[in-house]
Amino acid sequence: MGLKNRFSNFVYKQLEKEKRGGREDIYSYSIRYGGRYANDDSILESSDVYELLQDISNQLMLADIIIEDGDGTEILHHPALKTLKNPNHYLSGSEFMKLMVNSYLIQGEVFPILDGNQLHLASNVYTELDDRLVEHFKIGGEIIPPFMIRHIKNIGTNHLKGVGLMELGKNTLEGVMNAEQVLTDKYKKGGLLAFLLKLDAHINPQNGAQSKLINAILDQLESIDESRSVKLIPLGKGYSIDSLKSPIEDEKILAYLNIYKKDLGKFLGINVDTYTALTKADLEKAMMYLHNKAVKPIMKNFGDHLSLLFFGPHSDKRIKFKVNILDFVPYSTKTNIGYNIVRTGITSPDIVADMLGFEKQNTPETQAVYISNDLTKIGDKKATEDSLKGGDESDKEEGNADR
């Protein structure tokens, strides 16, 4: 605990320096200001990449975080849950999770730091393994105690660091972003419309009348700032104006984007063609495809590292992410599921009432799942046997009556 206290004191002193106007806070600087925001932001400018990242990170953001003991029993009230829901003063639990997922996917690794009851994401972290294969962490030359930080890697073939979109798809990403920028700039500037002024005579710098006429024509052309503007430019003999075609060919650039944009999805773990087709045909299948291909492995990796960060290597407690798959199901489908669970009283079982947005009754009867109102609870063996026994006795009575 002495090492942790020394580190916490260091952080406190550095924060005090910052309040007095200094900018020497290495720890908070690396956390709040980051070191690669410019590159990360430029990646997010690609709409397709942004959409894929949002779809993946939103699933984890919407997941419930639970803690289980060694027997798989959920621990409802634990201090770690409060920290995960309110990690620090500048991020909510949802924002923290989205940031962690996006950083993990783009940069290939992320470093959560647990400082007391505050959880942060650090950048500019230097890591190394010693001769005993123990990982050490430094931020700006300051040593971070290993029990306060985890190195979550999007693992590839290197055990020291992870790989993300920035590295895996670097060449493809740069090409896509450049192509998008070219088209954007072109249409920002009105399709790069330009004009060519042709003269039959040589341009003579000493010819004042010629220079005056050329400047007047250029002024008229440059003043066209709206597509609805119309300019009438009288020209003398030997002068003509032709429109200059833009060298940027939309069809070729769009064909390039249609081919290479899809590759970016593969670096995030999904096939864009498959995902797009499923999204159009069946949203539930699309979300399940995304969940199984991309989200589920991230949930497992995050859960493992956060469990070690909060509980250490010798605890049997585990942090897990719990996704409600019914969130991806249309409301009409949920209604059909409810009608299939019971024949009547669609909102009677609490499980169906909760699924459809009704208030639960929280009684033993409504918390059980029935095959139908006149039958017994599903999974209640004794009740089922009693029901069968009653049926056998009635059959005997009917048989006696027949004789």
Side-chain angles (χ1 to χ4, degrees):
M1 293 299 292
L3 184 60
K4 179 179 177 182
N5 289 336
R6 288 200 299 273
F7 181 75
S8 296
N9 290 336
F10 165 77
V11 174
Y12 176 77
K13 290 178 182 178
Q14 294 299 323
L15 288 173
E16 288 299 314
K17 286 182 181 179
E18 188 178 85
K19 289 179 182 177
R20 294 192 299 269
R23 285 293 170 186
E24 300 171 357
D25 181 2
I26 300 170
Y27 175 66
S28 62
Y29 182 88
S30 68
I31 290 171
R32 288 198 296 271
Y33 301 102
R36 305 183 75 179
Y37 284 173
N39 289 336
D40 295 348
D41 288 344
S42 62
I43 288 175
L44 294 179
E45 288 175 3
S46 176
S47 58
D48 293 68
V49 178
Y50 180 81
E51 183 181 17
L52 291 175
L53 286 170
Q54 289 298 300
D55 288 349
I56 294 172
S57 61
N58 281 342
Q59 279 204 25
L60 275 102
M61 184 191 74
L62 294 173
D64 293 323
I65 301 177
I66 64 172
I67 298 176
E68 292 182 354
D69 60 19
D71 298 325
T73 303
E74 185 176 349
I75 304 173
L76 297 177
H77 304 288
H78 194 284
L81 290 174
K82 185 176 181 180
T83 300
L84 289 166
K85 290 179 181 178
N86 300 284
N88 51 57
H89 298 305
Y90 52 90
L91 288 174
S92 69
S94 300
E95 291 170 338
F96 182 89
M97 191 53 58
K98 282 181 69 70
L99 178 61
M100 188 156 73
V101 175
N102 289 338
S103 300
Y104 175 83
L105 291 173
I106 293 176
Q107 300 175 4
E109 52 192 14
V110 67
F111 298 88
I113 289 182
L114 182 62
D115 183 18
N117 61 353
Q118 293 247 333
L119 192 61
H120 307 276
L121 292 178
S123 58
N124 298 329
V125 180
Y126 173 74
T127 65
E128 62 179 359
L129 290 180
D130 62 19
D131 295 338
R132 301 181 62 185
L133 300 181
V134 176
E135 191 171 21
H136 298 271
F137 304 90
K138 290 182 180 180
I139 298 179
E142 289 293 330
I143 297 175
I144 310 298
F147 60 83
M148 293 182 65
I149 187 169
R150 292 300 304 178
H151 185 185
I152 306 180
K153 300 176 286 292
N154 186 9
I155 206 72
T157 57
N158 191 331
H159 64 285
L160 295 175
K161 57 176 292 190
V163 287
L165 180 62
M166 193 177 292
E167 182 177 346
L168 287 171
K170 182 178 180 181
N171 294 333
T172 303
L173 190 63
E174 289 178 352
V176 167
M177 291 174 60
N178 288 335
E180 287 181 333
Q181 189 64 43
V182 166
L183 285 180
T184 302
D185 288 345
K186 173 180 177 179
Y187 289 100
K188 273 184 178 179
K189 298 172 182 176
L192 292 179
L193 182 63
F195 297 96
L196 185 64
L197 178 63
K198 295 192 295 185
L199 300 176
D200 287 342
H202 294 290
I203 298 178
N204 185 357
Q206 302 299 324
N207 190 331
Q210 187 185 58
S211 298
K212 187 175 180 180
L213 180 58
I214 291 174
N215 289 331
I217 295 171
L218 292 176
D219 289 342
Q220 289 286 313
L221 292 174
E222 290 173 358
S223 66
I224 302 176
D225 55 359
E226 295 183 11
S227 59
R228 293 174 296 175
S229 297
V230 177
K231 293 285 183 178
L232 182 61
I233 305 175
L235 298 175
K237 185 178 179 181
Y239 295 85
S240 65
I241 297 176
D242 292 335
S243 60
L244 181 65
K245 184 180 178 182
S246 169
I248 300 173
E249 299 182 30
D250 295 1
E251 292 184 1
K252 289 184 178 180
I253 294 180
L254 290 173
Y256 173 88
L257 291 174
N258 287 334
I259 293 173
Y260 290 102
K261 263 195 175 185
K262 298 172 184 177
D263 284 344
L264 296 175
K266 296 176 183 177
F267 298 125
L268 297 175
I270 63 173
N271 184 294
V272 175
D273 284 334
T274 303
Y275 181 56
T276 303
L278 287 173
T279 302
K280 294 178 180 178
D282 191 323
L283 183 61
E284 180 186 1
K285 289 182 179 179
M287 292 298 102
M288 286 303 302
Y289 172 81
L290 184 72
H291 180 76
N292 290 321
K293 286 281 288 180
V295 177
K296 202 170 181 179
I298 299 175
M299 290 168 52
K300 170 66 175 171
N301 200 13
F302 280 14
D304 288 346
H305 278 278
L306 291 176
S307 298
L308 291 168
L309 183 63
F310 278 93
F311 310 128
H314 304 298
S315 174
D316 61 355
K317 296 184 180 70
R318 307 293 297 172
I319 291 176
K320 293 186 176 180
F321 292 82
K322 194 175 182 181
V323 172
N324 184 7
I325 301 301
L326 291 175
D327 287 340
F328 312 139
V329 178
Y331 192 84
S332 59
T333 305
K334 292 180 182 179
T335 307
N336 291 332
I337 294 172
Y339 276 113
N340 289 334
I341 293 177
V342 289
R343 294 178 184 171
T344 57
I346 185 64
T347 62
S348 294
D350 282 345
I351 185 175
V352 181
D354 183 57
M355 179 176 66
L356 297 178
F358 294 95
E359 185 176 353
K360 295 188 291 186
Q361 301 178 49
N362 293 318
T363 64
E365 291 76 19
T366 59
Q367 288 174 356
V369 180
Y370 292 87
I371 298 174
S372 70
N373 285 347
D374 57 345
L375 293 179
T376 57
K377 300 177 185 177
I378 295 175
D380 194 335
K381 188 173 185 295
K382 186 175 182 301
T384 307
E385 289 175 344
D386 291 343
S387 176
L388 293 174
K389 183 177 179 182
D392 293 341
E393 290 177 353
S394 62
D395 290 341
K396 291 179 181 178
E397 291 176 0
E398 291 178 1
N400 293 332
D402 291 340
R403 286 195 294 270

